[in-house]
Amino acid sequence: MKPVTLKEIAETLGISITTVSKALKDYPDVSKKTKRLVKELAQTLNYKPNAFAVNLRTKESKTIGLIIPEVVHHFFSSVIKGIIAQAEKKGYLVIILQSNESYELEKKQLDLLFSKRVDGVLISLANGTGDFKHLNDLMAQETPLVMFDKIAKIVNCSKVIINDRKAAYTATKYLIDSGCKRIAHFRGPLLPQNSIDRFLGYKQALVDHGFVYDPSLVYILDAMSFDEGNYYAAQLLKDHKDVDGIFINTDLVAIGAINELNKRGVKIPDDISIIGFSNWFMSSVISPTLTTIDQPGYLMGKTAFKLLYKEIKKRKNNQAVVYEEVELPTELIIRESTK
Amino acid sequence: MKPVTLKEIAETLGISITTVSKALKDYPDVSKKTKRLVKELAQTLNYKPNAFAVNLRTKESKTIGLIIPEVVHHFFSSVIKGIIAQAEKKGYLVIILQSNESYELEKKQLDLLFSKRVDGVLISLANGTGDFKHLNDLMAQETPLVMFDKIAKIVNCSKVIINDRKAAYTATKYLIDSGCKRIAHFRGPLLPQNSIDRFLGYKQALVDHGFVYDPSLVYILDAMSFDEGNYYAAQLLKDHKDVDGIFINTDLVAIGAINELNKRGVKIPDDISIIGFSNWFMSSVISPTLTTIDQPGYLMGKTAFKLLYKEIKKRKNNQAVVYEEVELPTELIIRESTK
DNA sequence: TTTAAAATCGAAAACGTTTTCGATTTACCG
DNA sequence: CGGTAAATCGAAAACGTTTTCGATTTTAAA
């Protein structure tokens, strides 16, 4: 049973394809009676327009692409949820691709999306991307792009971000204010902007409060996993007996660290205070519960789509597009892992 | 700058569209020289075939749809990851829709996917669906469908599942073997097959081991949230002072329950043992760590796609399709929340 | 009854591919 | 050089829509 087409409806009704098409879309130049007939038949035959044909004709796919580094991730899945919820409201479908933090994959996937002629793409960069030609190429071909969370400052497009630097500053300052004297930092990889900014915020807070910045206190992680949290917590204990606070780039790692410290009998927060980043659900559930920075994933997804949608509209109407950079608020969530 | 088409390449090279198309796809009836010329130009112009046109012609979208109840969910996001990883290997893109446990939405989304002429759809049912006409309609129109995790036994299609009943039996039996005398069950809503099966497994284990089944010991939850875990744990304490074990439908609720019991000074597992279901990452991290049933999400996603892919292939070659039902293994993960 | 205006309809082109099949060119052999 | 086989090419139809614009029919007015 093949999908029913306009042609079939037209033939069984003895009218032209044109009229059927117009009847279905309530054109003014088709009679009420014909409209009723057509709509009824379409209904009973369960007619659904072939999106390919429509898109080929109208050049609109009503589909956007989304590239994220990792799907199984509390923050990113919240973002996804925000995006598809908002997209659905506007009649858009979203194709999700996972870059696995690989620049090469990211490039390939962008090509794929272009081939599908998506109306726009939303992207959060892989840790591995230091070159942005693929992004600029896409935009050069009229495909709107908006970046969120892990962005590249140098690329000229709309962005939705948080102020990582400020948030990290706040977190570190809280550690300082609560009496920590020697504060370590588990940072993310070198390339991503947010891991740079969080590091910078940490450093700034230190300097502003009369600490001397000690590079041996910052550990550069790679996978940002629970296991790395375990490993570097142990490492830190070995390297620096005097550390009494850690600001950690992301909650998952922080939870790994807490796990390791618990195991070794280190008292949190009495011996060492810990602050994470992101406010994963898990953070409110482990013991001790984790002080962290709340990062609004759902809102970020929603906002990113809105920006993209606005740009799609503008382009469609041949209006000038202005790139926006919206900064979402973060919040320090104080729990048990700090004094 | 409009996307470049075959026509453009053909014109600048002074050859026909046909030849360009064939050159790009390495047809044997175009000369090496022409192929080289075409490919070079395509490369420099950054030509990407218009998927709409291709699909309209070939009737293959190389896209599948995925409908799941909830994105922000450890199990489902693992499934998603498995699906898109496997799909990418075979050159398929996946459109993800979230039904939010709503039957109405699910129906609408299925229509949307059909309109997009996806090559197939993967679905895990919403809790609210008790009617399956929308699924049968889709299949009647030649769109392969495979269900996973939350399935409907009555629908005739390929499925990938776990043996919920057996797993629940194992869990409950473990509680019994470890000495529990009065075992409660927090079950899911009434409709979904897996919540029924888990309940049945629980009941069977009880009966098989000389317990009398007491309906007042099973609580029917709705949202399956952390908060519900809190609430029903409190409720249980009020209703039944003698309960010493709970088998809980899903880890998130179990974690909520543990949270509440911890707060009230109930000792786990000494006073009450708890077993969850799914093996969320979180379960290995809370205190006490949660004994649970491991449910292989990534593998399930991968398998579901494979089944779908097989069916797509078969249909394409006009071969008879046979529906398969594959059952994935589960495993009891013993941790601290049980004796 | 004629005529102009309004209402209703449909032919055809276009979107960018793929593929069949016939046409043309080239190479080769005697 | 003639003829056949092989190599190379392109015209055209098709996929299912949308939309323009001209054609036809109906209605209402004169």
Side-chain angles (χ1 to χ4, degrees):
Chain A
M1 210 186 93
K2 304 215 116 14
V4 2
T5 65
L6 289 184
K7 193 172 160 199
E8 281 176 53
I9 297 182
E11 278 168 2
T12 72
L13 246 38
I15 58 179
S16 77
I17 295 177
T18 307
T19 305
V20 176
S21 174
K22 289 200 280 200
L24 254 14
K25 318 185 79 194
D26 270 324
Y27 270 53
D29 67 342
V30 16
S31 68
K32 307 241 174 293
K33 193 176 137 219
T34 315
K35 276 185 188 172
R36 190 172 45 74
L37 253 34
V38 169
K39 283 179 179 173
E40 277 175 13
L41 187 57
Q43 176 76 27
T44 63
L45 292 184
N46 199 18
Y47 168 79
K48 299 277 156 42
N50 181 322
F52 297 142
V54 176
N55 299 338
L56 182 58
R57 185 53 228 234
T58 64
K59 273 130 172 8
E60 260 198 324
S61 67
K62 288 284 182 182
T63 302
I64 64 160
L66 167 62
I67 301 182
I68 47 170
E70 169 67 58
V71 168
V72 187
H73 191 289
H74 185 263
F75 173 69
F76 282 126
S77 59
S78 301
V79 174
I80 294 179
K81 183 168 176 168
I83 290 172
I84 67 183
Q86 194 65 23
E88 199 161 16
K89 263 190 211 164
K90 300 294 185 180
Y92 277 77
L93 253 28
V94 9
I95 292 175
I96 302 181
L97 262 8
Q98 173 173 296
S99 66
N100 278 319
E101 303 286 9
S102 148
Y103 164 65
E104 288 305 328
L105 252 183
E106 187 179 290
K107 219 164 64 172
K108 244 185 250 163
Q109 292 171 338
L110 230 38
D111 276 353
L112 250 179
L113 289 177
F114 176 71
S115 202
K116 285 276 174 196
R117 299 294 190 272
V118 291
D119 292 341
V121 355
L122 259 22
I123 191 171
S124 190
L125 260 27
N127 282 340
T129 50
D131 179 47
F132 311 110
K133 185 169 178 309
H134 55 314
L135 302 173
N136 289 319
D137 281 355
L138 187 80
M139 292 197 296
Q141 287 177 294
E142 303 276 83
T143 307
L145 176 79
V146 355
M147 308 178 61
F148 63 90
D149 191 49
K150 293 166 71 179
I151 64 158
K153 287 201 169 133
I154 206 180
V155 178
N156 191 26
C157 65
S158 284
K159 293 160 195 150
V160 21
I161 49 168
I162 56 169
N163 193 326
D164 283 287
R165 190 161 172 169
K166 198 173 103 193
Y169 188 98
T170 304
T172 311
K173 181 172 184 308
Y174 185 77
L175 250 20
I176 294 171
D177 289 347
S178 72
C180 294
K181 298 296 176 207
R182 191 120 167 96
I183 302 171
H185 176 40
F186 289 179
R187 64 163 287 173
L190 293 173
L191 248 25
Q193 193 62 49
N194 58 2
S195 108
I196 295 172
D197 284 341
R198 290 176 200 176
F199 163 68
L200 257 23
Y202 154 82
K203 193 169 159 187
Q204 186 72 43
L206 254 35
V207 172
D208 283 1
H209 293 80
F211 284 64
V212 291
Y213 163 63
D214 177 356
S216 79
L217 248 28
V218 352
Y219 291 76
I220 303 177
L221 311 213
D222 178 41
M224 310 305 287
S225 63
F226 181 82
D227 290 342
E228 271 194 341
N230 281 177
Y231 177 80
Y232 282 99
Q235 194 63 36
L236 180 67
L237 250 33
K238 213 188 304 174
D239 295 347
H240 301 278
K241 310 245 172 267
D242 54 347
V243 160
D244 57 3
I246 323 177
F247 166 51
I248 300 182
N249 189 283
T250 193
D251 278 6
L252 182 56
V253 174
I255 288 168
I258 288 179
N259 181 267
E260 182 68 24
L261 296 179
N262 278 343
K263 218 180 290 175
R264 291 171 176 256
V266 176
K267 300 249 179 314
I268 304 172
D270 300 324
D271 299 335
I272 299 184
S273 293
I274 293 188
I275 291 192
F277 205 109
S278 268
N279 194 24
W280 286 35
F281 173 74
M282 215 185 301
S283 307
S284 61
V285 152
I286 51 154
S287 169
T289 56
L290 179 65
T291 296
T292 189
I293 298 283
D294 181 63
Q295 194 183 4
Y298 187 84
L299 180 61
M300 185 171 273
K302 215 170 127 174
T303 312
F305 180 82
K306 279 185 180 169
L307 248 44
L308 186 64
Y309 183 71
K310 203 192 281 183
E311 191 173 333
I312 291 173
K313 280 271 152 166
K314 290 247 175 188
R315 273 185 203 277
K316 200 174 152 190
N317 302 329
N318 285 316
Q319 296 169 9
V321 320
V322 286
Y323 296 131
E324 295 178 56
E325 182 167 322
V326 357
E327 184 181 306
L328 265 21
T330 56
E331 192 190 345
L332 178 67
I333 309 284
I334 298 167
R335 299 208 185 90
E336 301 166 357
S337 69
T338 49
K339 283 174 285 200
Chain B
M1 210 186 93
K2 305 212 117 12
V4 1
T5 65
L6 289 184
K7 193 172 159 199
E8 281 175 53
I9 297 182
E11 278 169 1
T12 72
L13 246 37
I15 58 180
S16 76
I17 295 177
T18 307
T19 305
V20 176
S21 174
K22 290 199 280 199
L24 253 15
K25 320 186 77 195
D26 270 326
Y27 270 53
D29 67 341
V30 17
S31 69
K32 309 240 173 294
K33 194 177 136 216
T34 315
K35 278 185 189 171
R36 190 172 46 75
L37 253 35
V38 169
K39 284 180 179 172
E40 277 175 13
L41 187 56
Q43 176 76 27
T44 63
L45 292 184
N46 200 17
Y47 168 80
K48 300 276 158 40
N50 181 323
F52 298 143
V54 176
N55 299 339
L56 182 58
R57 182 56 227 234
T58 63
K59 279 142 168 0
E60 262 199 322
S61 66
K62 288 285 182 180
T63 302
I64 64 160
L66 168 61
I67 300 183
I68 46 170
E70 169 67 58
V71 168
V72 187
H73 190 290
H74 185 262
F75 173 69
F76 283 125
S77 59
S78 300
V79 174
I80 294 178
K81 184 168 175 169
I83 291 170
I84 66 183
Q86 194 65 24
E88 200 163 15
K89 264 189 211 165
K90 300 292 185 182
Y92 278 76
L93 254 27
V94 9
I95 292 176
I96 302 181
L97 262 10
Q98 174 172 297
S99 66
N100 278 318
E101 303 287 7
S102 149
Y103 165 65
E104 288 304 329
L105 252 183
E106 188 179 289
K107 217 163 66 170
K108 241 185 253 164
Q109 292 170 339
L110 229 38
D111 276 354
L112 250 181
L113 289 177
F114 176 70
S115 202
K116 283 277 173 193
R117 298 294 190 274
V118 290
D119 292 341
V121 356
L122 259 20
I123 192 171
S124 191
L125 260 28
N127 282 340
T129 51
D131 178 48
F132 311 110
K133 185 170 178 309
H134 56 314
L135 302 174
N136 288 320
D137 281 355
L138 186 81
M139 291 197 296
Q141 288 178 293
E142 303 279 79
T143 307
L145 175 79
V146 355
M147 307 178 62
F148 63 90
D149 192 48
K150 293 166 71 179
I151 64 157
K153 288 202 169 131
I154 205 181
V155 177
N156 190 24
C157 66
S158 285
K159 293 159 194 149
V160 20
I161 49 169
I162 57 168
N163 193 325
D164 283 287
R165 190 159 173 170
K166 198 173 103 192
Y169 188 98
T170 304
T172 310
K173 182 172 185 304
Y174 185 78
L175 249 21
I176 294 171
D177 289 347
S178 72
C180 295
K181 298 297 177 206
R182 193 120 167 94
I183 302 171
H185 176 38
F186 289 180
R187 64 163 288 173
L190 292 173
L191 246 26
Q193 192 61 51
N194 59 3
S195 108
I196 295 173
D197 285 341
R198 289 176 201 176
F199 163 69
L200 257 23
Y202 155 80
K203 192 168 160 189
Q204 186 72 43
L206 253 37
V207 172
D208 283 0
H209 292 81
F211 283 64
V212 291
Y213 164 64
D214 177 356
S216 79
L217 247 28
V218 353
Y219 291 77
I220 304 178
L221 311 212
D222 178 41
M224 309 304 289
S225 63
F226 180 82
D227 290 342
E228 271 195 340
N230 281 177
Y231 176 81
Y232 282 98
Q235 195 62 36
L236 180 68
L237 250 33
K238 214 188 303 171
D239 295 346
H240 301 277
K241 309 244 174 270
D242 55 347
V243 159
D244 57 2
I246 323 176
F247 166 50
I248 300 182
N249 189 283
T250 193
D251 278 5
L252 183 55
V253 174
I255 288 169
I258 288 178
N259 182 267
E260 182 69 23
L261 296 180
N262 278 343
K263 217 180 291 176
R264 291 170 176 257
V266 178
K267 299 249 178 312
I268 306 171
D270 300 325
D271 300 336
I272 297 183
S273 292
I274 293 187
I275 291 192
F277 205 109
S278 268
N279 195 23
W280 285 36
F281 173 75
M282 215 185 304
S283 308
S284 61
V285 152
I286 51 154
S287 172
T289 55
L290 178 67
T291 295
T292 190
I293 298 284
D294 182 63
Q295 193 183 6
Y298 186 85
L299 180 60
M300 185 171 272
K302 215 170 128 175
T303 312
F305 180 83
K306 279 185 182 172
L307 249 43
L308 185 64
Y309 182 72
K310 205 193 279 183
E311 191 172 332
I312 292 173
K313 280 270 154 168
K314 290 246 177 190
R315 273 185 203 276
K316 202 173 149 191
N317 301 327
N318 285 316
Q319 296 170 8
V321 321
V322 287
Y323 296 133
E324 294 179 57
E325 182 167 321
V326 356
E327 184 182 304
L328 264 21
T330 56
E331 193 189 347
L332 177 68
I333 308 285
I334 297 167
R335 298 207 185 91
E336 300 166 357
S337 68
T338 50
K339 283 175 287 201

